[in-house]
C-alpha cells in the first residue's frame, strides 16, 4: 500500500501581519492626499450652492469653503488656497467679477465663472478679470468638470511659465554680478600692478617686495588693496608728473 502523501501546512500569519498586509502603502496614501483637488464654491443662492457642492463631491473634489458673496469668496480663497474656485457672477456685497479679479491678481487659484446664458457681456468682463474658464447655468457635470480641468491646467501652465521667467531673471542677475565682480577684480589687479611698479621705481622695492608690502599693509591696516594702490599711485604719480613738468 502506497504511503499517503503529506504536505506541510501553509505558513500562518499573525493578526498584526494580516493588518499590515491589508493597510495601504504609506506613499500611496500620501500621494492621494497630495493630489486631492480642493474647491471654494461661491454662489449666493443656497439651493444652487448645495447642488453644486454635491456634484463636486460626487466627482472626487473636496469643497473646503462655501461663500454667499464675493467678499467671503476672497477670504476663503486666501485662507484655504484651493485647487480651483467656482464663482457666480452676480453676488451681493462684492460681485464675482471683482472677487475673481482680486484672486487672480494675487495668483492664489484659478477661477471658473458661473454665468447665465444672457450674461455674455459679463463673461467678457470675467475673462478680462482673469477667470480661466466659465460655465453656463444650469450646472451639468459634462460642462462643469471639463471647465475645472481646463482652468487648473491653464493655471499650472502660467505658473510654470512664471517660474521659468523668474529662474531666467535670477540666472541673468547672477551672471551680471559675476561679470561686475570680474571687472572689479581686473581693475584692482591693474591698479595694484601700477602701484607695484611705482614702488619699484620710487622706493627701490623689488617686484616681489613691492607686492608683499602692498598685501601686508592692506591686511594690517584693513585697507582694501584697490584703495591702497590708488593712494600709492596718487602719491608717486604726482611726483612723476611734477618731474616731467620741470623738464
Amino acid at each position: 500500500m502506497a504511503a499517503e502523501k503529506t504536505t506541510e501546512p501553509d505558513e500562518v500569519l499573525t493578526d498584526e501581519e494580516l493588518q499590515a498586509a491589508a493597510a495601504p502603502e504609506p506613499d500611496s496614501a500620501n500621494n492621494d492626499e497630495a493630489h486631492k483637488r480642493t474647491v471654494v464654491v461661491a454662489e449666493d443662492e443656497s439651493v444652487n450652492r448645495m447642488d453644486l457642492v454635491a456634484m463636486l463631491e460626487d466627482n472626487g473634489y473636496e469643497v473646503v469653503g462655501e461663500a454667499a458673496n464675493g467678499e467671503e469668496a476672497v477670504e476663503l480663497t486666501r485662507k484655504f488656497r484651493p485647487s480651483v474656485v467656482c464663482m457666480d457672477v452676480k453676488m451681493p456685497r462684492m460681485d464675482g467679477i471683482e472677487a475673481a479679479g482680486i484672486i487672480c491678481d494675487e495668483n492664489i487659484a484659478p477661477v471658473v465663472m458661473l454665468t447665465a446664458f444672457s450674461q455674455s457681456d459679463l463673461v467678457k468682463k470675467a475673462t478680462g478679470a482673469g477667470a480661466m474658464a466659465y460655465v453656463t447655468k444650469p450646472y451639468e457635470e459634462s460642462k462643469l468638470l471639463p471647465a475645472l480641468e481646463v482652468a487648473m491646467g491653464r493655471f499650472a501652465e502660467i505658473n510654470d511659465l512664471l517660474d521659468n521667467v523668474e529662474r531666467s531673471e535670477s540666472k541673468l542677475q547672477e551672471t551680471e554680478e559675476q561679470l561686475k565682480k570680474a571687472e572689479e577684480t581686473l581693475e584692482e589687479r591693474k591698479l595694484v600692478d601700477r602701484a607695484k611698479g611705482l614702488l619699484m621705481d620710487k622706493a627701490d622695492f623689488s617686484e616681489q617686495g613691492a607686492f608683499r608690502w602692498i598685501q601686508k599693509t592692506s591686511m594690517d591696516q584693513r585697507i582694501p588693496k584697490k584703495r591702497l594702490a590708488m593712494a600709492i599711485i596718487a602719491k608717486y604719480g604726482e611726483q612723476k608728473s611734477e618731474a616731467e613738468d620741470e623738464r
Side-chain angles (χ1 to χ4, degrees):
M1 184 174 180
E4 292 185 1
K5 186 178 180 181
T6 59
T7 57
E8 292 294 329
D10 293 336
E11 182 180 359
V12 178
L13 298 178
T14 65
D15 291 340
E16 291 78 9
E17 290 172 329
L18 288 170
Q19 291 176 0
E25 292 291 333
D27 291 342
S28 175
N30 290 338
N31 288 336
D32 289 343
E33 188 66 26
H35 291 87
K36 190 75 172 179
R37 294 170 299 180
T38 55
V39 191
V40 164
V41 174
E43 165 67 77
D44 60 323
E45 296 183 10
S46 58
V47 175
N48 287 341
R49 187 168 66 248
M50 289 173 60
D51 291 342
L52 185 56
V53 169
M55 183 184 299
L56 290 168
E57 291 179 342
D58 287 344
N59 285 277
Y61 288 86
E62 179 184 355
V63 178
V64 293
E66 299 180 34
N69 59 68
E71 289 182 359
E72 290 180 358
V74 172
E75 291 174 2
L76 290 172
T77 302
R78 285 171 174 165
K79 179 179 179 180
F80 293 109
R81 306 190 74 85
S83 306
V84 65
V85 178
C86 290
M87 182 89 68
D88 191 18
V89 170
K90 288 191 173 181
M91 289 188 294
R93 294 174 63 177
M94 178 190 292
D95 65 29
I97 294 175
E98 184 178 353
I102 295 172
I103 292 169
C104 294
D105 286 346
E106 296 181 12
N107 197 35
I108 308 172
V111 178
V112 174
M113 301 303 300
L114 310 174
T115 68
F117 282 108
S118 60
Q119 297 174 328
S120 58
D121 57 330
L122 296 179
V123 169
K124 293 180 180 179
K125 291 182 180 180
T127 53
M132 297 288 180
Y134 70 92
V135 177
T136 55
K137 301 177 183 178
Y139 312 128
E140 298 176 4
E141 289 185 7
S142 60
K143 295 188 296 184
L144 178 63
L145 300 183
L148 296 177
E149 294 298 330
V150 167
M152 289 186 289
R154 288 177 178 173
F155 186 75
E157 288 177 2
I158 290 172
N159 279 282
D160 285 344
L161 177 61
L162 292 175
D163 289 342
N164 288 333
V165 171
E166 186 176 348
R167 284 194 294 267
S168 298
E169 288 294 324
S170 179
K171 288 182 179 178
L172 179 60
Q173 184 177 0
E174 183 179 346
T175 301
E176 290 176 348
E177 290 175 355
Q178 291 174 347
L179 287 173
K180 183 178 180 182
K181 186 176 180 180
E183 290 174 357
E184 291 175 350
T185 301
L186 180 61
E187 182 184 5
E188 178 183 292
R189 187 177 300 171
K190 288 180 178 179
L191 290 171
V192 169
D193 284 344
R194 186 179 174 191
K196 183 176 65 177
L198 288 170
L199 287 176
M200 292 167 61
D201 184 38
K202 300 296 183 180
D204 294 329
F205 277 93
S206 65
E207 181 178 1
Q208 190 174 14
F211 180 76
R212 285 181 177 175
W213 186 89
I214 293 173
Q215 190 175 42
K216 186 175 186 303
T217 303
S218 173
M219 292 177 63
D220 292 346
Q221 301 299 322
R222 296 183 179 179
I223 302 173
K225 283 192 287 187
K226 181 179 177 180
R227 283 176 51 194
L228 180 59
M230 291 174 67
I232 294 171
I233 292 168
K235 177 180 179 180
Y236 290 115
E238 288 177 0
Q239 292 180 1
K240 184 176 180 180
S241 298
E242 291 174 357
E244 289 175 350
D245 292 340
E246 290 177 358
R247 293 178 186 174

